[in-house]
Amino acid sequence: MLCLCMDNMLILYSNDHMIKSTEKMLTSKFYMKELGVAIVILEINIYKTSNGLILSKSYWEKFREIF
């Protein structure tokens, strides 16, 4: 799956080989810079657990209530 957001991209696959091959293909066509593992995207927190990923908006909802 490929998710484009403005000028950022999030690549999601179940294995590292697919991620690396997708990055290799894209960098052969476009200038890209590795930003590392995503922690927050589209105001959604991403947590990695032993069972997979957890997506949560609770932090931002609490933050908005303060302001």
Side-chain angles (χ1 to χ4, degrees):
M1 174 177 18
L2 183 64
C3 175
L4 295 172
C5 176
M6 304 288 240
D7 58 346
N8 297 320
M9 184 182 323
L10 181 63
I11 301 172
L12 303 169
Y13 281 108
S14 58
N15 64 58
D16 289 340
H17 174 72
M18 291 299 294
I19 292 172
K20 294 297 179 196
S21 64
T22 302
E23 287 176 347
K24 185 176 179 180
M25 183 271 302
L26 290 170
T27 55
S28 71
K29 307 272 186 209
F30 307 99
Y31 170 76
M32 292 177 45
K33 182 166 75 170
E34 175 63 43
L35 298 177
V37 177
I39 297 169
V40 176
I41 187 163
L42 300 174
E43 296 185 4
I44 299 171
N45 291 339
I46 303 170
Y47 302 101
K48 186 174 183 178
T49 69
S50 59
N51 295 327
L53 299 176
I54 295 175
L55 306 178
S56 169
K57 286 192 72 160
S58 62
Y59 173 80
W60 293 106
E61 290 168 0
K62 290 177 186 173
F63 182 76
R64 285 189 192 146
E65 289 173 9
I66 295 170
F67 297 98

